[in-house]
Amino acid sequence: MDKIEIEGGVMLEGEISISGAKNAALPVMAASILSSGENRIFNVPDLRDIMTMGKLLAHLGLGFHKEGNEVILDSNTVDSVEAPYDFVKTMRASVLVLGPLLARTGRAKVSLPGGCAIGARPINLHIMGLEKMGAEIKLYEGYIEARAEKLKGTKIYFDIPTVTGTENLMMAATLAEGETVLENTACEPEIVDLANALISMGADIQGAGTGEIKIKGVSSLRPLNYKVIPDRIETGTFMTVAAITGGHITIRECNTEHVEAIANKLRSTGVKISGDGDSLSVDGPDRPVSQDVRTMPHPGFPTDMQAQFMALMTIADGTSLITENIFENRFMHVAEMKRLGADITIEGATAKVKGVKSLKGAPVMATDLRASASLIVAGLGAYGTTIIDRVYHLDRGYERIEEKLKLLGARIRRIR
Ligand code: EPZ
């Protein structure tokens, strides 16, 4: 099992480029089911989850091919409508084939994703929306079995803004009869990117990113030829790397508009951040000042940055209250950070982080994707050697992270 060894306490300096967004590429790949032809998607990061989605689409009958950061999907034939448990259990985002399969073929059999380290993560809202559009859905032996002669447009209200729920319903609605209005939707940049990709295929969609999305069904969609947005969470992660090492990093090929909440929060801790368009320069302070944060749906502070921000606050001057409002169990990294000498107590959904002068390297274990990123951040800021076990979590969401960190002067290596 791969481990990563870090000699921390080094000020990182230099320039890195951000990869394409995993959470934009995954739904855009699933959208290829809605067309018949050759789909080309660009700026796709080289990640395990991307390969898992590619293999799932191939299992459904699409031709999947990846050349560097370009994905080619031949969607002329869909000869299976079943997304088996083996795929879904390794990647919950597999559930994103549900809406497109129903829209394209009128049938879908998708394994229920089950829970994951950070929470129960039900998909009841995905199912509620599809039923409102006329799908007959039954849950049988751990699978969602769905049928719909023709999905019908209707008004759907999400009582919680769900990212993949919004994406599933938006895709399903593109080929439905009539207009679908999605209310209280998620507004993440990945939702807007998927809407733009669908519009480039000929879909009629308005309002993505505003909380209310109107989709007028069309008879067919043409294949994709689309470049996905940069990864805002990778961008935020590298911003915290500069912050915790007191370093000076230039971040290229990012989207500064997508990281405003992260940048504002880091500025309030004393981090200097400037830049616009597609590049940022980030200068870390000698010692960050403690700041409270509450994770919220976009445009609030993203839950996917909570663990990385906590790593920074462990060495801040003062006490920070970090409240996780999105998932019920997203503090798995706390116990590992305490092994590095952090002073954190959890009270319900809030972690109280009392800043210490410095962390001390130690062996730790990754439990999920963003927890593993936070341990990299903490290890880079800690004095001595940190060894992170179970880094396969990291490989799901960060393209060539050791390479990029080495470019900045980090003393980091993977131990097979
Ligand atoms: C997406 O997950 C992201 N994954 C997650 O990123 C991200 O943390 C999350 O959105 C929140 O921003 C992808 O885009 C592939 P949700 P998703 O549905 O869609 C509840 C990462 O690190 N809910 O927006 O699964 C749910 O339990 C991953 O890259 C229901 O109750 O999240 C949660 O409390 C981790 N019923 C809240 O809504 C539903 O039917 C938000 O979940 C759906 C969701």
Side-chain angles (χ1 to χ4, degrees):
M1 199 163 305
D2 278 1
K3 296 180 182 179
I4 280 185
E5 181 187 78
I6 296 172
E7 287 300 326
V10 177
M11 185 180 79
L12 298 191
E13 291 189 292
E15 183 173 305
I16 53 109
S17 290
I18 295 299
S19 303
K22 164 178 84 82
N23 290 350
L26 292 172
V28 170
M29 287 173 72
S32 59
I33 295 171
L34 297 166
S35 72
S36 296
E38 182 172 271
N39 300 270
R40 287 178 178 274
I41 308 166
F42 305 96
N43 200 30
V44 178
D46 219 2
L47 300 172
R48 256 179 36 176
D49 277 11
I50 297 296
M51 295 312 289
T52 304
M53 180 60 85
K55 287 178 192 143
L56 170 57
L57 293 171
H59 175 81
L60 299 176
L62 283 77
F64 167 63
H65 189 61
K66 189 166 186 311
E67 286 162 11
N69 293 117
E70 181 181 340
V71 159
I72 298 149
L73 285 159
D74 176 346
S75 57
N76 276 304
T77 49
V78 172
D79 47 31
S80 163
V81 294
E82 181 171 339
Y85 180 54
D86 282 354
F87 286 103
V88 182
K89 72 180 178 188
T90 55
M91 185 186 66
R92 315 176 44 72
S94 306
V95 77
L96 284 167
V97 302
L98 177 57
L101 278 175
L102 260 184
R104 164 95 181 248
T105 70
R107 293 182 49 229
K109 183 179 177 186
V110 176
S111 166
L112 274 166
C116 84
I118 63 178
R121 300 187 71 185
I123 56 167
N124 58 307
L125 299 175
H126 302 230
I127 292 169
M128 172 278 293
L130 292 171
E131 284 180 330
K132 287 197 126 203
M133 294 182 75
E136 278 167 48
I137 294 184
K138 64 180 185 4
L139 303 184
Y140 183 65
E141 292 181 348
Y143 277 80
I144 301 158
E145 296 195 10
R147 279 179 184 281
E149 273 318 300
K150 180 83 174 159
L151 292 168
K152 293 190 178 32
T154 184
K155 184 176 275 197
I156 296 166
Y157 179 82
F158 291 105
D159 55 16
I160 303 176
T162 156
V163 173
T164 48
T166 302
E167 292 166 345
N168 241 333
L169 271 302
M170 191 160 66
M171 289 190 281
T174 55
L175 297 178
E177 217 165 79
E179 182 178 61
T180 301
V181 180
L182 305 178
E183 294 195 332
N184 193 32
T185 70
C187 300
E188 274 67 6
E190 293 77 24
I191 303 268
V192 177
D193 206 31
L194 174 62
N196 290 337
L198 292 167
I199 290 165
S200 78
M201 297 168 81
D204 181 343
I205 301 175
Q206 283 161 1
T210 69
E212 178 176 274
I213 304 176
K214 289 185 179 167
I215 306 110
K216 285 200 179 82
V218 295
S219 53
S220 66
L221 293 174
R222 39 182 189 272
L224 276 158
N225 197 314
Y226 193 75
K227 178 180 179 187
V228 297
I229 55 173
D231 193 313
R232 61 194 170 99
I233 304 302
E234 183 190 19
T235 306
T237 303
F238 276 98
M239 289 158 86
T240 54
V241 164
I244 202 166
T245 63
H248 312 281
I249 295 180
T250 301
I251 298 175
R252 299 268 186 237
E253 297 178 51
C254 65
N255 182 319
T256 50
E257 284 173 21
H258 294 166
V259 294
E260 276 172 7
I262 304 167
N264 291 340
K265 185 53 70 177
L266 287 172
R267 286 191 186 99
S268 66
T269 72
V271 181
K272 299 257 179 300
I273 301 169
S274 59
D276 55 20
D278 64 359
S279 70
L280 279 173
S281 65
V282 186
D283 294 327
D286 292 340
R287 186 179 186 193
V289 173
S290 60
Q291 282 294 324
D292 297 347
V293 73
R294 303 173 62 81
T295 64
M296 298 300 281
H298 193 79
F301 189 89
T303 174
D304 291 350
M305 277 298 302
Q306 178 256 106
Q308 298 91 309
F309 187 74
M310 186 185 290
L312 178 64
M313 291 295 97
T314 63
I315 53 136
D317 180 5
T319 296
S320 314
L321 297 178
I322 297 181
T323 303
E324 173 55 57
N325 291 313
I326 307 294
F327 291 113
E328 64 268 28
N329 188 35
R330 205 169 197 176
F331 285 144
M332 309 275 277
H333 43 281
V334 168
E336 302 308 309
M337 287 183 187
K338 290 168 81 165
R339 291 179 49 75
L340 300 172
D343 180 349
I344 309 171
T345 43
I346 296 176
E347 290 147 19
T350 297
K352 186 160 82 171
V353 184
K354 276 175 74 176
V356 294
K357 281 296 271 175
S358 64
L359 296 178
K360 182 96 181 62
V364 290
M365 188 171 77
T367 50
D368 60 83
L369 169 55
R370 304 304 171 183
S372 51
S374 74
L375 294 173
I376 294 270
V377 174
L380 290 167
Y383 288 92
T385 306
T386 297
I387 295 184
I388 303 167
D389 200 353
R390 301 194 179 178
V391 284
Y392 57 83
H393 291 291
L394 196 65
D395 298 336
R396 298 189 52 177
Y398 289 88
E399 186 180 52
R400 302 193 318 275
I401 191 162
E402 298 112 275
E403 220 176 288
K404 294 186 181 184
L405 287 169
K406 277 180 190 155
L407 277 178
L408 301 173
R411 289 184 302 207
I412 181 170
R413 70 188 179 104
R414 190 172 286 244
I415 317 169
R416 299 275 175 215

